[in-house]
Amino acid sequence: MSSSKKKICFFTTVDWFILTHRKKLLRELIESYDVTVIVFENTKKLEISFPKLEILSLNISRSNVSFFKNILSLFKLFKISNKKKFDLFYVVGVRSIFFTLLLEIFIKSSFLYTFSGLGTLFTSKGFILSTYKTLLKILVYFSKSNIIVQNQEDLNLIKSYSKPEKKITCILGSGVDLETFKPSRVKKLKKIIFVGRLLKSKGILEYIELAKRSKKYGLEFNIYGSIDDNLESIKQIDLKNLPKQVIFHGN
């Protein structure tokens, strides 16, 4: 028996990103809609929390810039979309948005894009990345779909790419769930923790430098996160040269 629920495609870069940033939203969508998740990389972590959820992978690294492999993945996304006939594409992340914008004219669906950050495409340099960025600007300009951004800087930038009538909404970001993580006052500062992917744009080098400068205060600095295949990630050798007061715990 076919479902009467509207079909939503939740398209993002990697499955675990939904667990860390959109888990509550996904639960709410599943209650009312027939949801399919499409990702570039499937680490199998999402299906542990949502065993009945359909998760489809394009089987390409989220940081792969190979033109040929990206074309193959784009074609695969088109085939899935043609077969599933989604009512709505909810797309999160620059790379996912770029792919969907390319197909927007060929797919009879509605689209909602969320820029969760501008990522390597805007923070790294190189001919290939510059070409992709220029194409993204053009695609955003001609797209008629609504866009969500998460900070004022991204809002100003995306507005500069868009036609004046385009609806662009700025929200407060994903943030921390304060029902789970409650703030508390610190009587005496002893330990400082960095949590996140070990990317230069996330401040990991500044964090390590802070640890070096704070040696005389007897503070302990902890790093929880992983080296990434992102172009901005620090290398394994960088972790071997950490100051004694910095403890690396891994992911």
Side-chain angles (χ1 to χ4, degrees):
M1 184 180 292
S2 60
S3 173
S4 59
K5 293 181 178 180
K6 287 187 177 292
K7 294 182 178 181
I8 289 184
C9 172
F10 194 144
F11 181 29
T12 190
T13 51
V14 62
D15 61 323
W16 56 254
F17 175 80
I18 297 176
L19 290 175
T20 55
H21 292 73
R22 301 287 191 284
K23 187 175 182 180
K24 186 176 180 180
L25 173 62
L26 178 60
R27 279 208 182 104
E28 292 177 358
L29 289 175
I30 289 173
E31 289 178 5
S32 303
Y33 303 98
D34 180 0
V35 180
T36 299
V37 170
I38 299 180
V39 291
F40 290 100
E41 295 180 53
N42 184 9
T43 65
K44 309 293 185 181
K45 292 179 181 178
L46 183 62
E47 64 186 46
I48 295 173
S49 297
F50 298 89
K52 295 181 180 179
L53 181 66
E54 183 177 30
I55 306 169
L56 304 176
S57 175
L58 300 182
N59 296 319
I60 182 174
S61 165
R62 63 190 186 279
S63 60
N64 192 308
V65 295
S66 165
F67 181 78
F68 178 69
K69 288 185 178 180
N70 276 284
I71 288 295
L72 289 178
S73 297
L74 185 65
F75 183 67
K76 186 174 182 179
L77 177 63
F78 175 73
K79 284 182 67 177
I80 294 171
S81 307
N82 232 12
K83 181 181 178 181
K84 294 287 186 179
K85 301 189 184 306
F86 298 111
D87 295 289
L88 171 69
F89 271 80
Y90 174 60
V91 189
V92 184
V94 174
R95 190 181 182 89
S96 308
I97 291 171
F98 181 83
F99 266 56
T100 314
L101 284 168
L102 285 169
L103 294 182
E104 192 176 302
I105 192 172
F106 303 107
I107 303 173
K108 292 183 179 179
S109 299
S110 297
F111 302 87
L112 177 61
Y113 301 111
T114 294
F115 283 88
S116 55
L118 297 181
T120 307
L121 192 63
F122 287 82
T123 56
S124 298
K125 297 179 180 179
F127 175 75
I128 295 176
L129 290 176
S130 296
T131 303
Y132 280 132
K133 185 164 73 172
T134 300
L135 184 53
L136 178 68
K137 292 179 183 179
I138 296 170
L139 293 170
V140 168
Y141 181 81
F142 286 105
S143 171
K144 296 180 181 178
S145 302
N146 293 340
I147 293 175
I148 297 171
V149 296
Q150 298 190 156
N151 60 69
Q152 190 64 42
E153 185 179 356
D154 289 3
L155 176 64
N156 295 337
L157 189 65
I158 299 302
K159 273 188 174 180
S160 71
Y161 298 163
S162 308
K163 293 180 180 179
E165 65 271 18
K166 181 183 289 296
K167 185 177 180 182
I168 305 172
T169 305
C170 184
I171 62 173
L172 293 175
S174 304
V176 173
D177 184 352
L178 294 181
E179 292 179 4
T180 303
F181 301 97
K182 300 183 184 299
S184 61
R185 293 189 177 276
V186 178
K187 294 181 180 179
K188 185 179 180 181
L189 189 62
K190 295 180 181 179
K191 296 182 180 181
I192 300 173
I193 295 176
F194 175 97
V195 182
R197 289 183 293 155
L198 308 187
L199 307 184
K200 294 173 184 176
S201 59
K202 294 187 181 295
I204 183 63
L205 295 182
E206 287 81 0
Y207 180 79
I208 295 170
E209 180 61 27
L210 176 66
K212 292 177 181 177
R213 296 188 183 189
S214 305
K215 186 177 180 180
K216 63 181 180 180
Y217 299 109
L219 299 173
E220 179 184 294
F221 289 78
N222 297 267
I223 297 175
Y224 291 88
S226 59
I227 291 177
D228 201 81
D229 60 1
N230 190 295
L231 295 173
E232 290 198 334
S233 179
I234 64 172
K235 309 300 180 185
Q236 191 70 42
I237 192 170
D238 296 318
L239 297 176
K240 293 180 179 179
N241 298 320
L242 292 174
K244 290 183 179 179
Q245 64 270 32
V246 179
I247 304 169
F248 176 64
H249 299 272
N251 194 22

